[in-house]
Amino acid sequence: MTGRLRLAFLDALDERVLPLLAGAVGVLLAGQWFAGATSMGAPARGSLDFALWWAWLASGAMALVLGSRALALPLDDGSARFLLSGPLHPGRWGLERLAATAVVAVGFAGVLALAVSLFVAPVPPVAWSVFLVAEVVMLVAFAGLTGVLLRPLPALALGGAVWWIGHLAGPWATVMTDAGYPGLARVLPFLPDLDTLDAHAATLAGQPVPAARLGLGIAWALAWTAASAGATVSLLSARDL
């Protein structure tokens, strides 16, 4: 690991990732027990429903926080100028920081997915876990892109809005069309439809996710990740640092 990658990795961990991870695991374990105890007639299903939902929410939120700060913070406080004053290409610097940040975010999601597999799910939710990791990597890349354009907090807000809208793109398009705003509905296809990576219902029902759908979801997430990374490199290369 190069010095720059190590620094980026430590910067990501410095965002209180380990204490937050311990808290997220604690909430998952306590919450799934409470959900099971208060579910009428289906305690196992209630526990699994909460565990899947919480692991997804905590992992996505952490990915957005880390991604939005990975580039925006050093660009905002001027610390990036020290590294970029030499021969280091800004695009390479950006990709290295996003890669190290993605590793930390994936580790966070992986621990939560492992907790679900070990303590809640009767069968390890493999497809759900793969989709979770793919979404986390994609969110880090997109939030990193917003961090080139905005300061850390606005970048986080924009990333969170896209995350929220992305999981409601289908219903939103139907509502807008029915309400007489088809023009607004046409904008939604240009945003990532994150329900492509949603295996919650199938996992909860104990149904296998078809291999074709799993492969398509991974390819779709990789395409959005690559597009976000490419845009980040282009913007960093064009920006006066």
Side-chain angles (χ1 to χ4, degrees):
M1 181 182 291
T2 67
R4 292 191 306 273
L5 281 172
R6 183 174 180 272
L7 177 61
F9 183 79
L10 293 177
D11 281 347
L13 285 178
D14 197 44
E15 300 291 341
R16 299 181 180 178
V17 170
L18 296 181
L20 288 172
L21 176 58
V25 172
V27 171
L28 188 149
L29 296 178
Q32 65 87 21
W33 173 83
F34 182 78
T38 56
S39 295
M40 295 184 179
R45 184 183 177 90
S47 295
L48 181 58
D49 189 16
F50 173 83
L52 295 176
W53 172 83
W54 172 251
W56 164 80
L57 179 64
S59 298
M62 179 56 68
L64 287 171
V65 170
L66 293 178
S68 64
R69 293 174 66 83
L71 302 182
L73 194 61
L75 289 173
D76 185 49
D77 63 18
S79 59
R81 295 174 187 169
F82 174 76
L83 285 172
L84 299 178
S85 60
L88 177 62
H89 190 276
R92 180 177 179 181
W93 169 79
L95 289 181
E96 287 179 347
R97 286 193 65 86
L98 288 180
T101 301
V103 169
V104 175
V106 167
F108 186 97
V111 171
L112 289 177
L114 182 62
V116 173
S117 297
L118 293 178
F119 301 111
V120 186
V123 177
V126 177
W128 174 86
S129 300
V130 170
F131 278 162
L132 178 66
V133 169
E135 183 170 340
V136 162
V137 173
M138 182 179 162
L139 289 175
V140 168
F142 185 82
L145 172 60
T146 65
V148 180
L149 301 169
L150 303 167
R151 300 182 70 178
L153 190 56
L156 175 59
L158 179 57
V162 171
W163 184 38
W164 179 55
I165 294 172
H167 276 288
L168 296 173
W172 274 49
T174 301
V175 169
M176 289 179 181
T177 302
D178 293 343
Y181 300 103
L184 291 175
R186 294 192 188 99
V187 177
L188 293 176
F190 294 96
L191 298 176
D193 183 2
L194 290 169
D195 272 353
T196 304
L197 302 176
D198 184 11
H200 185 113
T203 303
L204 192 60
Q207 300 171 350
V209 176
R213 186 190 165 202
L214 187 62
L216 180 63
I218 293 173
W220 178 87
L222 288 175
W224 272 99
T225 300
S228 298
T232 299
V233 171
S234 298
L235 288 174
L236 284 173
S237 301
R239 178 169 172 167
D240 182 9
L241 301 173

